[in-house]
Every structure is written in C-alpha cells, then in structure tokens.
C-alpha cells in the first residue's frame, strides 16, 4: 500500500503542480488502486505515471469544488478506451451524482462499463472483509469530507516448523488454521490456530482529508493513523487568510497530527503563491517544528504506508 500524488496545488493548476488528486495504490492487497479527488487533468497525470485506468476500482470525492472534481467527466468517459471494463464506484457528497450525470449526458459520453455513484453524508461508506472506509464532515465553505481507510487485522504467519512437528504438510489444513478453524489431528488431539499462528498483523490506517479548517472531526478521522494526509494551504503567518478561506496552515496540520496520535504526516494542497519546492520548504520547517515526522507531497513520488506497531 502506497500513496502517489497526482496533484498538490490548491485552487488552480500551475506550471509546477496540478490540482488535487491522490492515488492509493493497493496492487499487492487488491490488484487495484483508489483515487481520492479528481481535479482537472487528472487523467493526464495518470498517463504520466505507471497507473492504468483499467486498475481503478473506486473514486472518493471529498467535496464539489472544481479543483477537486473537474477532471471526473473526462476520466470517466476515457476509462473504457484505456482498458477499463470492470465496475467503477464513485463516492461523494450529495450533488455528485447530478454533476456526473449532467456532464456525461450533455457531452453525449458513453460509458461502456458499470458505473455506480454513491452519495453520502458521512459514516461507513464502504466495507468488505479487508478494509473499512469511514467518512466525517469537515469545516469548509461547502460540505467537505475526510476519509479514514482502515485495514482489518490479519492472522499471523503460520509456524511451519511447529506444523511439521504435528505431521501437517501444506494443504487445506493450512488454510483452515489461517481462517481461525481448529484441526482434528486424528489421534484424539485437536490443533488450535493459537498453537501455530504468530501475532496478528495489525491493519494500517490512512486518513485523507478534504479542504478544512481545524475541527474535531479531523482528530477523529486521524486517530492513531499510520499516515495522515492534511491540507496545508498557507504558512502560519497567513492564518487569518486560512481561516477566512476555510483552510489550514502547516502548523495547524502538524498540531492535528499530534492531537490525533498519527504516526506520519504528509502536507498537500499548497497555495500557488508557493511556486516550487524551495518556496514550500518553510511550510515543511514550520510543520516539523511541531511534528517532526512530516513530509511534503510531491507529484509522482511514491509514499509507502508503513505498518507501525
């Protein structure tokens, strides 16, 4: 599991950075990737990356401002031409379905695959046997949501030496033990999973926020997260501007990471006044003075989601 940023600018694109989109790459876990927001030219950014739209499984939209959704119609209509034939589900706030339907209808775009749009107002928006995605409302000019992606804990690894001592060879019994089932050894003894399984592997937690001022739901979504992605539109000397525009500063993002007990923080959604990495360095310095394990998002750089114990 790793993150790839396809756009890190706030508001409008610049020559250096595109507007917001983040890919959560889960090729080992799901053989797919998920997209969080889809600003203008996101499909162009995907073409410049190693990602393939045929592997796109889900899109999560934080809010309906243009720099987060103007890339959706083009990406959805182009996906089939790039081998995307499997079902695609898009999640987001009320109004998203109308935006997609009207855009595709007026442009007479044809979707050659199953497209599902699920509108929500927070809560558990997706869950399967491997992962849960929870969303909560943030504090922005329009309804903006953050997402908490939580892997479920996995059974520990089988102790092959112990299994051999019990006379078991690779086969269906291994799978049953991994699923938590006990095995009758046929000699009056029963082998329980705890006898041959190591410690469970704790699931990782990734929190990806939409645009927001500081608020309690940021802390709830980021609680004990292995990785928190937080907007940092301005340096802290512009905290009044940040408040007036319903955004955060780099220090406020770092303070949220501390309060939530997050393990790592990545800053993104930078004002275009900070033109390049040199101009962004002061934002990083500010954040690291509060929360040392802070990084700046860079487009096309891969950020692994580490498993913290």
């Amino acid at each position: 599991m790793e993150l790839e940023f396809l756009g890190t600018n706030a508001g409008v694109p610049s020559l250096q950075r595109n507007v917001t989109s983040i890919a959560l790459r889960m090729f080992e876990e799901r053989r797919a990737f998920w997209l969080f927001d889809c600003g203008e030219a996101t499909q162009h950014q995907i073409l410049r990356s190693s990602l393939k739209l045929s592997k796109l499984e889900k899109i999560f939209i934080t809010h309906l401002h243009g720099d987060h959704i103007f890339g959706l119609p083009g990406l959805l209509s182009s996906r089939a031409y790039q081998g995307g034939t499997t079902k695609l589900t898009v999640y987001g706030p009320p109004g998203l379905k109308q935006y997609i339907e009207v855009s595709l209808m007026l442009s007479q775009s044809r979707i050659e695959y199953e497209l599902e749009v699920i509108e929500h107002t927070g809560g558990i928006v997706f869950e399967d046997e491997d992962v849960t995605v929870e969303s909560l409302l943030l504090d922005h000019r329009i309804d903006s949501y953050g997402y908490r992606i939580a892997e479920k804990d996995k059974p520990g690894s089988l102790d092959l030496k112990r299994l051999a001592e019990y006379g078991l060879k690779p086969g269906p019994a291994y799978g049953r033990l991994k699923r938590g089932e006990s095995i009758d050894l046929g000699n009056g003894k029963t082998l329980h999973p705890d006898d041959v399984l190591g410690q469970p592997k704790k699931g990782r937690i990734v929190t990806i926020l939409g645009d927001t001022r500081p608020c309690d739901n940021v802390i709830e979504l980021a609680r004990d997260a292995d990785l928190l992605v937080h907007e940092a539109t301005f340096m802290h000397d512009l905290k009044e501007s940040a408040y007036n525009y319903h955004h955060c500063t780099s220090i406020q993002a770092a303070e949220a990471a501390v309060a939530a007990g997050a393990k790592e923080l990545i800053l993104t959604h930078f004002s275009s006044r900070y033109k390049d990495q040199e101009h962004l360095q002061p934002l990083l310095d500010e954040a690291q003075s509060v929360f040392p394990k802070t990084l700046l998002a860079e487009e096309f750089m891969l950020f692994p989601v580490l498993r913290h114990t």
Side-chain angles (χ1 to χ4, degrees):
M1 182 186 288
E2 53 195 357
L3 289 179
E4 182 172 6
F5 289 80
L6 302 172
T8 60
N9 232 33
V12 295
S14 68
L15 292 175
Q16 294 77 25
R17 300 190 300 269
N18 199 44
V19 285
T20 299
S21 186
I22 304 170
L24 179 60
R25 300 163 57 107
M26 297 183 289
F27 295 118
E28 290 185 8
E29 297 82 4
R30 306 180 70 90
R31 298 182 180 178
F33 75 96
W34 294 355
L35 204 59
F36 290 80
D37 286 333
C38 189
E40 181 183 357
T42 292
Q43 66 171 315
H44 289 270
Q45 297 291 85
I46 289 176
L47 289 172
R48 295 175 60 196
S49 76
S50 63
L51 297 168
K52 304 296 181 185
L53 283 179
S54 59
K55 299 296 184 181
L56 176 58
E57 182 184 32
K58 296 180 182 297
I59 302 175
F60 297 87
I61 300 297
T62 62
H63 64 294
L64 301 185
H65 276 154
D67 58 321
H68 295 256
I69 64 168
F70 280 169
L72 261 178
L75 183 146
L76 294 176
S77 60
S78 298
R79 181 173 178 259
Y81 296 105
Q82 298 183 38
T85 58
T86 56
K87 179 181 177 180
L88 175 62
T89 307
V90 185
Y91 304 81
L96 177 63
K97 188 172 185 179
Q98 181 183 12
Y99 169 72
I100 291 174
E101 288 180 346
V102 170
S103 298
L104 297 178
M105 177 188 67
L106 292 179
S107 61
Q108 298 187 31
S109 300
R110 297 178 60 187
I111 302 298
E112 304 290 346
Y113 53 87
E114 183 181 357
L115 175 63
E116 181 181 23
V117 181
I118 297 177
E119 296 183 338
H120 68 82
T121 55
I124 303 297
V125 300
F126 172 74
E127 184 172 13
D128 65 8
E129 65 274 12
D130 298 314
V131 66
T132 300
V133 181
E134 179 183 5
S135 182
L136 290 175
L137 182 66
L138 305 175
D139 182 0
H140 194 47
R141 288 192 294 118
I142 63 173
D143 285 357
S144 177
Y145 291 85
Y147 293 96
R148 177 184 175 92
I149 306 96
E151 283 185 316
K152 297 182 179 179
D153 294 348
K154 297 292 186 182
S157 299
L158 288 169
D159 187 330
L160 300 182
K161 184 176 180 181
R162 292 292 306 278
L163 287 166
E165 291 173 356
Y166 285 106
L168 289 177
K169 297 181 179 179
Y174 280 29
R176 292 177 59 190
L177 289 165
K178 288 283 284 187
R179 292 193 297 271
E181 301 175 19
S182 297
I183 300 295
D184 183 358
L185 296 176
N187 57 2
K189 295 182 179 180
T190 300
L191 180 62
H192 302 288
D194 290 345
D195 298 329
V196 291
L197 283 176
Q199 289 295 317
K201 295 180 181 178
K202 186 171 178 56
R204 291 164 291 183
I205 299 172
V206 183
T207 299
I208 299 175
L209 302 178
D211 295 2
T212 187
R213 289 171 175 166
C215 66
D216 290 342
N217 279 348
V218 166
I219 309 304
E220 289 301 312
L221 287 170
R223 186 77 63 194
D224 299 322
D226 292 282
L227 183 59
L228 167 62
V229 178
H230 197 304
E231 71 134 284
T233 308
F234 299 105
M235 287 185 63
H236 205 63
D237 62 340
L238 294 175
K239 62 181 179 180
E240 289 188 9
S241 294
Y243 181 84
N244 291 335
Y245 287 103
H246 293 77
H247 287 296
C248 281
T249 69
S250 54
I251 284 184
Q252 288 169 335
E255 289 172 341
V258 171
K263 307 303 187 298
E264 291 186 271
L265 169 66
I266 299 180
L267 304 179
T268 188
H269 199 267
F270 309 118
S271 167
S272 56
R273 71 181 62 220
Y274 310 111
K275 296 189 181 300
D276 52 31
Q277 292 302 112
E278 179 181 351
H279 291 94
L280 289 174
Q281 185 62 40
L283 280 84
L284 180 61
D285 293 340
E286 281 189 340
Q288 287 182 336
S289 71
V290 176
F291 187 79
K293 291 190 175 181
T294 302
L295 298 170
L296 291 176
E298 294 185 44
E299 291 172 28
F300 304 114
M301 180 177 288
L302 299 182
F303 295 86
V305 182
L306 302 177
R307 195 183 307 274
H308 297 88
T309 56

